[in-house]
Amino acid sequence: MLHKKGKLIILSGPSGVGKGAIISKLFENKKLNLAYSVSMTTRQPRNKEQDGINYFFVDKTTFMKNIEKNDFLEYTNFIGNYYGTSKSYVLNLQNQGYNVILEIEVDGASQVLKNYEHRKDIMSIFIMPPSYQALEQRIRMRASESDEIIEKRLNKAKEEFKVQHQYDYVVVNDDLEVAVWEITEIIKKK
Ligand code: 5GP
């Protein structure tokens, strides 16, 4: 069966903004025909994260080999760990007709926007917290990381806020249902 090639949906936003919860809700809507781009990372698994589902957890040597093979659509170093999106993984899903969600940070997003040939097949969405204080509270409540890492994530968030205008859409995650509705409408528009 021949499928129409799927789109790329870039979702960015600071740590703790609720991207995971938003994505889970979006996946309940089968009509959106979504697939998740499982990234490769050198960071350690957190809590209940599973290899091959949340990330492909690899060591630095494996990650570097993938860079050499030129199999990253984009990659970055985020507070000491590497994260990257596999070109072949994403293309395979798109060819099956899925709209592929790339949950990536801002540096990776700008690489994709620069390097990907078919700009009209991409939509980019930045998710904002209702306030910086709300974000800080959520990250601290997660309590899965050391204070040092939490501080780094919060500082990174301030940097990320500055580039939100580079995205096609900015959605505030104050009420989860509302944010999911807004993003659903954006995806349906394309
Ligand atoms: P976390 O450690 O919280 O899972 O992810 C840290 C940041 O890296 C988040 O902003 C997340 O969206 C981003 N990220 C996850 N996978 C990738 C990827 O493949 N590429 C890039 N550039 N960022 C990623």
Side-chain angles (χ1 to χ4, degrees):
M1 196 172 133
L2 215 59
H3 297 278
K4 188 166 168 266
K5 192 171 171 190
K7 314 260 183 216
L8 289 187
I9 302 161
I10 297 177
L11 273 189
S12 298
S15 293
V17 79
K19 286 168 289 185
I22 289 175
I23 290 169
S24 301
K25 285 265 173 204
L26 288 172
F27 268 87
E28 288 172 13
N29 185 347
K30 300 294 172 215
K31 285 192 193 138
L32 295 177
N33 210 18
L34 298 176
Y36 185 73
S37 162
V38 180
S39 297
M40 199 179 264
T41 185
T42 60
R43 108 154 143 65
Q44 293 297 311
R46 216 166 38 208
N47 303 327
K48 290 180 186 147
E49 285 180 332
Q50 283 178 285
D51 189 41
I53 293 179
N54 304 94
Y55 282 105
F56 294 108
F57 295 100
V58 298
D59 58 19
K60 202 171 160 195
T61 313
T62 309
F63 198 97
M64 292 303 150
K65 277 194 188 138
N66 239 52
I67 297 178
E68 278 166 30
K69 279 195 288 182
N70 196 24
D71 186 40
F72 282 125
L73 185 57
E74 61 74 35
Y75 69 91
T76 198
N77 189 310
F78 183 90
I79 57 170
N81 289 303
Y82 286 95
Y83 297 79
T85 305
S86 160
K87 251 188 233 170
S88 49
Y89 189 88
V90 167
L91 187 65
N92 182 25
L93 291 169
Q94 281 182 287
N95 285 340
Q96 291 177 60
Y98 288 111
N99 296 314
V100 184
I101 295 207
L102 307 184
E103 195 237 285
I104 61 179
E105 52 66 71
V106 297
D107 174 41
S110 68
Q111 291 175 47
V112 176
L113 294 174
K114 223 181 285 162
N115 301 338
Y116 195 77
E117 287 165 39
H118 310 287
R119 180 64 181 87
K120 69 171 180 30
D121 291 344
I122 309 182
M123 67 194 87
S124 61
I125 304 167
F126 191 88
I127 303 167
M128 280 290 285
S131 66
Y132 177 76
Q133 287 72 17
L135 183 78
E136 183 169 5
Q137 205 180 8
R138 273 197 235 172
I139 294 189
R140 292 196 189 282
M141 257 168 35
R142 195 159 74 180
S144 52
E145 288 164 316
S146 67
D147 285 349
E148 190 196 344
I149 298 284
I150 288 173
E151 289 313 316
K152 283 186 179 168
R153 284 185 182 271
L154 287 169
N155 286 332
K156 195 81 184 180
K158 287 184 191 154
E159 293 298 311
E160 293 186 322
F161 289 165
K162 292 182 193 154
V163 296
Q164 54 176 290
H165 62 275
Q166 291 171 8
Y167 285 71
D168 300 329
Y169 303 92
V170 176
V171 170
V172 178
N173 183 21
D174 190 1
D175 179 315
L176 179 65
E177 299 295 332
V178 176
V180 169
W181 179 82
E182 281 181 25
I183 295 172
T184 304
E185 290 305 304
I186 293 168
I187 297 174
K188 284 201 294 201
K189 244 194 276 183
K190 268 267 182 174

